[in-house]
Amino acid sequence: MPPVAPTVDAPALEAQLREAISGEVRFSAGDRALYASTGSNYRQVPIGVVIPRSKDDVVAAVALARQHGAPILGRGGGTSLAGQCVNIALVIDFSKYLHRVLEIDPERKLARVQPGLILDDLRDQAEQHHLTFGPDPSTHDHCTLGGMIGNNSCGVRSVMAQFYGPGPRTSDNVAGLEVVTYRGERLTIGPGGEGVPDQIAGQLRALTDRYGDLIRERYPKIPRRVSGYNLDDLLPENGFDVAKALAGTESTCVTILEATMHLIDSPPCRSLVVAGFVDAPTAADHVMQVLEHRPLGLEGVDDKLIEDMTILGMHKHDLSKLPAGSSFLVIETGGETKEEADEKGRAIIETLERSSETRGTKL
């Protein structure tokens, strides 16, 4: 069934938003059409769009949406592939104005950021302190930190955060959040339930008291589990971390105003290993061997992608460098020197070449 649009007096909402906020209010047919689709196959025309200039704009927009009974949807770079970035809602686009690094604390390895900040902009500034942010989706040059938190993103170098940082998912790398709830509560949330009002904390603890055994039993113990709500982060043995639990909730629980994220050390020298296999399942069979070497990055490339690029005549020079095989593991290693990074790459090659299923390798 097609989605049912909420009954909202859009002209009245638009008029009140224009009076209440300093940012942009866009309710025209053209603007709504621009925000109706993203990187996914889904299309839903929003009620309207707000582009806030400040946190106060966001709080005011949420309050007016609540008064009018309008759903809200926070939006970053618009790169979601499963429809998370579209809805019949008031869309709040953080990417135009609220896109700055507010502070980097190199001693504590923390970054305080606005939700519309592009990931690569954070990494560029963090690299000045020889630090980086671990999870990095393929859209790293235009996805936003707020979107990554909403989606609980991972990426090629999530293994670096897994081995050398707090963990592979964006939720693992959340140190704290400033949020506003749909009811208008403005909260600064930290580890251990810090900043969570007693009433909300009590309700969340009651939830885990009731369902804790099922959460422990049925939540899969895999490092890149990003589907659904992170209810396991609310368990007492996991520190009742509400900020981490909010990652992956896609605007359904809170709207993020600001985030404090963990950074990790960035090795100054990197090397790349490409290993070829007969097909993608065979390549996948060798992932655990690669992970034993604790690489910085790991990605799979299947034969379909190679075939498509060949047909389109794309990246001919790069494709000519690939080793034998039709599906590949692309592996990044790092070190204080190039020789150290290369040596780690050679160790991975030595491991993979012991298998008769490895068709070729290149460093």
Side-chain angles (χ1 to χ4, degrees):
M1 292 180 60
V4 178
T7 303
V8 175
D9 187 344
L13 174 59
E14 177 186 6
Q16 291 182 29
L17 283 167
R18 292 189 185 281
E19 292 180 1
I21 73 171
S22 61
E24 300 177 28
V25 178
R26 300 183 177 184
F27 274 61
S28 73
D31 286 316
R32 293 166 61 224
L34 285 172
Y35 284 84
S37 60
T38 61
S40 73
N41 291 327
Y42 298 93
R43 185 178 188 272
Q44 294 189 16
V45 181
I47 297 167
V49 180
V50 167
I51 305 178
R53 293 181 184 270
S54 67
K55 290 189 283 189
D56 289 340
D57 277 356
V58 179
V59 173
V62 170
L64 286 170
R66 181 177 69 254
Q67 290 177 26
H68 285 266
I72 53 174
L73 174 67
R75 178 179 169 119
T79 60
S80 295
L81 297 176
Q84 307 100 305
C85 253
V86 294
N87 199 4
I88 304 171
L90 180 67
V91 172
I92 304 177
D93 181 356
F94 293 86
S95 63
K96 186 171 182 179
Y97 299 115
L98 298 178
H99 56 206
R100 294 176 176 82
V101 176
L102 300 174
E103 178 186 9
I104 289 181
D105 184 338
E107 297 299 321
R108 299 171 63 201
K109 298 181 182 177
L110 294 174
R112 191 164 59 89
V113 304
Q114 294 178 317
L117 174 69
I118 292 174
L119 173 58
D120 274 2
D121 291 344
L122 170 61
R123 295 202 295 190
D124 288 345
Q125 294 191 44
E127 284 290 352
Q128 298 175 23
H129 306 280
H130 309 293
L131 299 170
T132 191
F133 187 73
D136 65 331
S138 60
T139 53
H140 52 82
D141 61 351
H142 53 291
C143 70
T144 67
L145 267 295
M148 290 178 65
I149 295 168
N151 197 51
N152 201 10
S153 301
C154 290
V156 174
R157 295 183 181 85
S158 62
V159 292
M160 176 166 61
Q162 176 182 344
F163 294 131
Y164 307 105
R169 303 173 300 168
T170 297
S171 60
D172 298 316
N173 294 271
V174 171
L177 297 173
E178 183 182 354
V179 302
V180 60
T181 69
Y182 193 69
R183 292 184 300 199
E185 299 139 316
R186 192 165 170 173
L187 310 173
T188 301
I189 300 171
E194 175 189 335
V196 181
D198 290 342
Q199 180 184 4
I200 296 176
Q203 291 171 330
L204 292 175
R205 287 194 168 95
L207 180 71
T208 53
D209 286 345
R210 182 176 180 181
Y211 296 106
D213 289 342
L214 285 173
I215 294 169
R216 294 180 183 95
E217 175 187 347
R218 298 188 180 182
Y219 268 54
K221 302 299 189 293
I222 54 178
R224 290 177 59 160
R225 194 207 78 239
V226 298
S227 300
Y229 293 96
N230 296 325
L231 296 179
D232 51 335
D233 282 319
L234 297 176
L235 295 173
E237 62 265 32
N238 293 332
F240 188 66
D241 200 320
V242 178
K244 289 183 178 179
L246 287 171
T249 59
E250 292 286 3
S251 298
T252 61
C253 294
V254 298
T255 299
I256 297 170
L257 302 174
E258 187 180 299
T260 301
M261 310 301 291
H262 291 290
L263 301 174
I264 59 178
D265 292 323
S266 179
C269 298
R270 311 284 180 100
S271 297
L272 193 69
V273 171
V274 181
F277 302 88
V278 65
D279 53 30
T282 305
D285 287 340
H286 291 77
V287 164
M288 298 310 296
Q289 288 179 308
V290 174
L291 291 180
E292 290 176 0
H293 292 265
R294 298 165 61 92
L296 301 185
L298 177 60
E299 182 72 294
V301 178
D302 67 4
D303 55 339
K304 191 64 178 175
L305 181 59
I306 301 299
E307 179 184 335
D308 289 345
M309 287 192 291
T310 301
I311 292 172
L312 294 172
M314 297 175 61
H315 307 295
K316 291 182 179 180
H317 179 68
D318 299 313
L319 293 177
S320 69
K321 295 183 177 181
L322 290 173
S326 58
S327 293
F328 305 89
L329 293 180
V330 182
I331 309 148
E332 185 179 71
T333 59
E336 291 300 314
T337 65
K338 188 64 168 67
E339 178 55 34
E340 181 184 355
D342 285 349
E343 185 58 35
K344 292 178 180 179
R346 284 189 284 268
I348 292 173
I349 288 174
E350 182 179 346
T351 297
L352 293 176
E353 287 185 341
R354 294 188 192 125
S355 170
S356 61
E357 296 176 318
T358 304
R359 292 289 181 264
T361 57
K362 281 190 177 181
L363 176 62

